[in-house]
Structures are given as C-alpha cells and as structure tokens.
Amino acid sequence: MKIVLLEPLGIGQEKLDALGKTLTDQGHAFTAYDTLAADAAEQTARIGDADVVMIANHPLPGAVIDAAPNLKMISVAFVGIDHVDVAACKRRGIVIANTGGYCDDAVAELAIGLTLACLRNITCCDAAVQAGAGKGDLAGFELAGRTVGIVGTGAIGLRTAAIFKAFGCRLIGYSRSEKPQAKALGLVYKPLMAVMAEADIVSVHTPLTPDTRSLIDADAINAMKPGAILINTARGPVVDTDALAAALRAGRIQAGIDVYEADPPLPAGHPLLGAPNLVCTPHVGFDTKESIDRRADMVFENVTAWMAGHPVRQML
C-alpha cells in the first residue's frame, strides 16, 4: 500500500525513520512530509493515489478527501476528529482511527496547573517579582476542599478528576453518559446547570460536536458562583467566548483557557485579549515530549493494525 504522512508529527528524524521502517519492511511505500501543506491543492497533490493518510490536527476538507481516488484509511494523530470531513469519509467508506489516550496525563496536568495558577495568582506574582515589587494583595486560595465540576467524564475528564481528588477536592460532574469509574472516585453526577452553580472550579473535557458547541453558554457562565474558576482544555467552541469575556471583565469569575476557536496567535480584537482574571496558554495541553512520542507510536500502530485486519481506536 501507499502511505503518506501529510504533515509533521513533532518527533525527531531518528524516531520517524524507525517508525517508517516498520511499514517499508512489510513492502509498503511510505512518504513523510516535514512541512505543513500550504492549501487544499497541495494536500491533494501530496496524497495523490495513496491508500492511507496520516495527519495531525490540521483540517482535512472533503474536497481533498474526494480527490483521493484510492484513499481507504485516515490515521489521525489527535484525539478529536472534528477537523476531518467525516461526512465525506462516510460517503466513501473511509476508515478513521484516532490516538485517543495519548495525552490524558498531559491535558489533565495542564488543567490542574491552570487551576493552581488562578487560585495562587501565579502569573501576577511572577510579574510582581519581575517588576521589583512584593506580594501586595496577592494572597491566594487553597485547592484542598474545593468542589470541582467535571464537564465530560471521558478518559481525560476521569484522569483530571482523579488528580483533583488527590488534592482533597469534592467531585461533581455532568456527562452524556455516567461512568462507573467516575462514581468510584466519588463523583456525583448532576444536571449541567447544577454543576455550574455548585462548583468552585469547572473543568471542561467534552469533545466538540454539534451538541456540545456552546454547551457552556451565557446562561451556564452566569450561573457560576462569584469568584469561581472555569478551566477549558477541551475545545474552544464548547465555551461561548463572548459570554466568558464579559464575565471576566465584570470580575465575576476567573478562567484558565488553553483552547480557542482557532489556535493562537489570536486575531486583533479577540474578546479574550486583555481580559482580566484570565490565565491563557496557546493550546499546549496535549504537547509534552512524552505525549508526542506516544502519539506517533499510536498513529503508526493504527495503520499496521488496520492492514492486519484487527483495527484499533477506529472512530469510523
């Protein structure tokens, strides 16, 4: 088969060569590109008559999929597949596999880090010291004993909940389906608005689907306690950005945000630029040395397992 890695995976050349060799040793043709494609036309040219395509997190539109006559399988080096035209794949019977699980620890740890940054004023404290000042009124708050609402109890939500529990937090949550593992941690499921109103910290971990777009809307944000913290390491459009910015500027809540409508740099005039009571990171939740190496192993494993007739992590 012809297999194309359409964009870089963020791994070293030695590791890429070793992974590629697992395919070529079986007689398959493997081509890897070390730059992003400039546009859909270049994506189409790179794919050509390939049977299998590997991608990371850049969009793969339906026009490109439809222009690939032999495409049978897409291995996505990412948890979400909302950047792939799933409808086009369904029409063509193209298999999609993801790398779910590669960054559970990485994302969960960032969610905790953003929470601590908000509670302990870490960025403001750093700025004070760098400016030659003292602590002033930067006394913070403890995480222990707080009520944490987990919105979405998939693998990452569960891992995050477990770490919050280790800090001595009480767990409540909302999810489309209730997980025995969450209940074993002591998490109590409640309706979304009850979670938003009761939690001191709300950590969002849902995928982006038509049902979850703007799930955390103005009503949900306005239901939060004064001084509560909203953490989003899931997908930007799950949270209503305008409503969040308004609540931050009004001083009602704090937030730690890693995801946006599109990855930073954010455009001039974006509602969150300059907003107070906010700690931002540029979509780095998934991005650790360990997770990126793990992701690469998994994206190649998806292909070899599918070709061997026992697919893993198949989403479609």
Side-chain angles (χ1 to χ4, degrees):
M1 288 193 175
K2 292 185 178 181
I3 302 162
V4 172
L5 173 59
L6 196 59
E7 58 191 359
L9 292 178
I11 57 176
Q13 189 62 47
E14 183 177 352
K15 184 174 181 68
L16 178 60
D17 290 343
L19 289 171
K21 192 172 184 295
T22 65
L23 300 174
T24 57
D25 282 353
Q26 298 177 38
H28 303 293
F30 175 62
T31 302
Y33 290 92
D34 59 3
T35 61
L36 297 177
D39 52 29
E42 186 173 351
Q43 286 181 313
T44 299
R46 288 184 179 188
I47 295 172
D49 60 352
D51 301 282
V52 176
V53 168
M54 302 175 183
I55 65 169
N57 63 333
H58 289 83
L60 189 66
V64 174
I65 294 167
D66 288 336
N70 295 339
L71 187 59
K72 304 174 184 67
M73 192 266 186
I74 301 170
S75 185
V76 181
F78 220 60
V79 176
I81 60 170
D82 48 281
H83 56 300
V84 179
D85 191 324
V86 174
C89 292
K90 285 181 177 178
R91 287 197 305 270
R92 295 273 307 278
I94 296 169
V95 169
I96 304 176
N98 76 344
T99 51
Y102 85 92
C103 62
D104 291 358
D105 286 326
V107 176
E109 289 173 9
L110 182 66
I112 302 298
L114 288 170
T115 301
L116 291 171
C118 290
L119 285 171
R120 298 307 303 268
N121 301 311
I122 290 175
T123 55
C124 293
C125 286
D126 173 73
V129 173
Q130 295 291 342
K135 69 175 183 178
D137 59 354
L138 291 173
F141 296 90
E142 295 176 1
L143 178 54
R146 300 276 166 179
T147 296
V148 176
I150 303 292
V151 178
T153 54
I156 295 175
L158 286 171
R159 183 66 185 126
T160 307
I163 301 174
F164 273 120
K165 182 180 180 181
F167 273 91
C169 297
R170 170 178 171 256
L171 301 175
I172 59 177
Y174 167 81
S175 195
R176 182 176 55 185
S177 58
E178 298 187 2
K179 301 290 179 62
Q181 305 96 307
K183 293 179 179 180
L185 288 171
L187 184 146
V188 177
Y189 282 100
K190 296 174 178 281
L192 177 61
M193 293 303 287
V195 170
M196 300 301 295
E198 188 175 334
D200 301 302
I201 299 144
V202 175
S203 193
V204 181
H205 300 284
T206 64
L208 178 61
T209 69
D211 290 336
T212 63
R213 185 175 291 274
S214 294
L215 177 70
I216 311 300
D217 59 11
D219 288 342
I221 291 170
N222 290 336
M224 295 177 72
K225 295 178 179 180
I229 299 169
L230 177 65
I231 304 294
N232 188 11
T233 55
R235 287 289 186 272
V238 173
V239 175
D240 183 324
T241 300
D242 290 328
L244 172 60
L248 293 171
R249 294 182 189 280
R252 289 196 59 256
I253 65 170
Q254 298 182 72
I257 303 296
D258 184 52
V259 287
Y260 313 86
E261 299 85 354
D263 283 356
L266 299 179
H270 189 280
L272 294 181
L273 288 177
N277 307 305
L278 174 65
V279 178
C280 288
T281 50
H283 197 186
V284 296
F286 69 96
D287 197 359
T288 65
K289 179 65 168 64
E290 297 89 347
S291 67
I292 296 304
D293 281 351
R294 191 180 304 120
R295 179 180 78 167
D297 291 335
M298 294 168 74
V299 81
F300 277 80
E301 181 191 19
N302 287 345
V303 175
T304 56
W306 173 75
M307 290 190 297
H310 48 83
V312 293
R313 294 179 287 271
Q314 187 168 318
M315 304 291 287
L316 181 66

